[in-house]
């Protein structure tokens, strides 16, 4: 009787193992018991990367269709000013002293951003003369991504009427041409502190004095 009970127990154990085992498992081979435990754990382990992949949402980084992106950053030296960074169309880029670089943060919004349009990106600007380890991006309040150089968000200036101009240099004592390493270019400073042009939304205002905008 005892022998029969042992046979029943062994058979039950083999049925249980067979139910947990992967296809092709041979219950007659006792050495396969250890791989059963490993195999049973494998599906649990494989769930982790699948779950992580499902959380990722790259489409959320895509900018709105009407957003103008800065496709290139070009670091170069120009007469009198020295080292600058321009976009693909030759517009010189600036940084703002009221922003922060560590952590990167933009404090130029609303009317300020009308006068100083942020250099926006989809995350893949082409670089010439600018080291890729200096370039990143920061998410703005409106969800768009702004290029940073050396941690500093960068901008254009609507007061520049043609590519290559730097009328934004030292405006308000807080705006400066940015260099390829993200530092301020302090060359060619004006003798007095220039005022910014008026935001386009301030109709009828021809300068900052009539707009209330002070950045």
């Amino acid at each position: 009787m005892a022998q029969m009970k042992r046979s029943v127990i062994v058979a039950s154990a083999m049925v249980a193992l067979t139910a947990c085992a992967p296809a092709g498992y041979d219950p007659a081979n006792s050495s396969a018991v250890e791989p059963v435990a490993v195999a049973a754990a494998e599906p649990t382990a494989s769930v982790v990367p699948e779950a992580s992949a499902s959380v990722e949402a790259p489409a959320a980084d895509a900018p709105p269709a009407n957003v103008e992106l800065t496709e290139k950053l070009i670091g170069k030296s120009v007469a009198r000013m020295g080292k600058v960074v321009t976009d693909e169309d030759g517009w010189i880029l600036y940084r703002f002293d009221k922003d922060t670089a560590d952590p990167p943060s933009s404090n130029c919004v609303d009317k300020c951003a009308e006068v100083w349009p942020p250099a926006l990106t989809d995350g893949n600007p082409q670089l010439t003369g600018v080291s890729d380890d200096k370039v990143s991006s920061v998410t703005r309040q409106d969800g768009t991504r702004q290029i940073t150089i050396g941690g500093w968000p960068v901008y254009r200036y609507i007061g520049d009427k043609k590519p290559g101009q730097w009328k934004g240099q030292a405006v308000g004592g807080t705006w400066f041409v940015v260099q390829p390493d993200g530092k301020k270019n302090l060359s060619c400073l004006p003798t007095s502190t220039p005022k910014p042009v008026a935001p386009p939304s301030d109709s009828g205002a021809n300068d900052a004095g009539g707009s209330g905008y002070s950045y």
Side-chain angles (χ1 to χ4, degrees):
M1 179 66 69
Q3 183 176 359
M4 182 179 296
K5 286 182 179 179
R6 283 197 299 272
S7 300
V8 170
I9 292 171
V10 171
S12 298
M14 293 177 64
V15 169
L17 287 173
T18 304
C20 296
Y25 170 66
D26 182 4
N29 184 0
S30 60
S31 64
V33 173
E34 185 176 352
V36 168
V38 175
E42 285 177 355
T44 303
S46 67
V47 170
V48 175
E50 291 176 3
S52 299
S54 64
V55 171
E56 186 178 354
D61 289 334
N66 61 343
V67 168
E68 182 178 351
L69 300 179
T70 297
E71 303 288 349
K72 296 180 181 179
L73 296 178
I74 303 168
K76 60 184 180 181
S77 292
V78 298
R80 294 193 298 156
M81 182 56 72
K83 294 180 179 180
V84 303
V85 179
T86 74
D87 65 11
E88 65 273 16
D89 297 318
W91 296 101
I92 285 180
L93 301 178
Y94 300 84
R95 48 168 279 183
F96 184 33
D97 280 356
K98 294 184 181 180
D99 287 345
T100 60
D102 187 18
S105 176
S106 171
N107 292 305
C108 180
V109 297
D110 302 327
K111 287 186 177 182
C112 177
E114 293 181 33
V115 177
W116 304 91
L120 302 179
T121 182
D122 60 1
N124 298 294
Q126 297 180 32
L127 307 179
T128 301
V130 182
S131 177
D132 60 1
D133 63 354
K134 294 293 184 181
V135 179
S136 188
S137 65
V138 63
T139 301
R140 292 176 57 80
Q141 293 179 13
D142 61 3
T144 56
R145 294 170 64 188
Q146 182 174 3
I147 293 173
T148 62
I149 301 177
W152 291 95
V154 293
Y155 308 78
R156 275 187 50 200
Y157 179 48
I158 65 170
D160 290 337
K161 300 306 179 184
K162 62 181 181 180
Q165 288 187 339
W166 56 77
K167 292 184 177 182
Q169 177 72 329
V171 163
T174 55
W175 291 91
F176 296 92
V177 171
V178 68
Q179 298 185 136
D181 59 2
K183 295 180 179 179
K184 290 188 284 190
N185 184 328
L186 298 177
S187 303
C188 207
L189 292 172
T191 55
S192 60
T193 302
K195 292 182 178 180
V197 299
S201 61
D202 284 3
S203 58
N206 295 320
D207 55 33
S211 70
Y213 165 70
S214 60
Y215 282 137

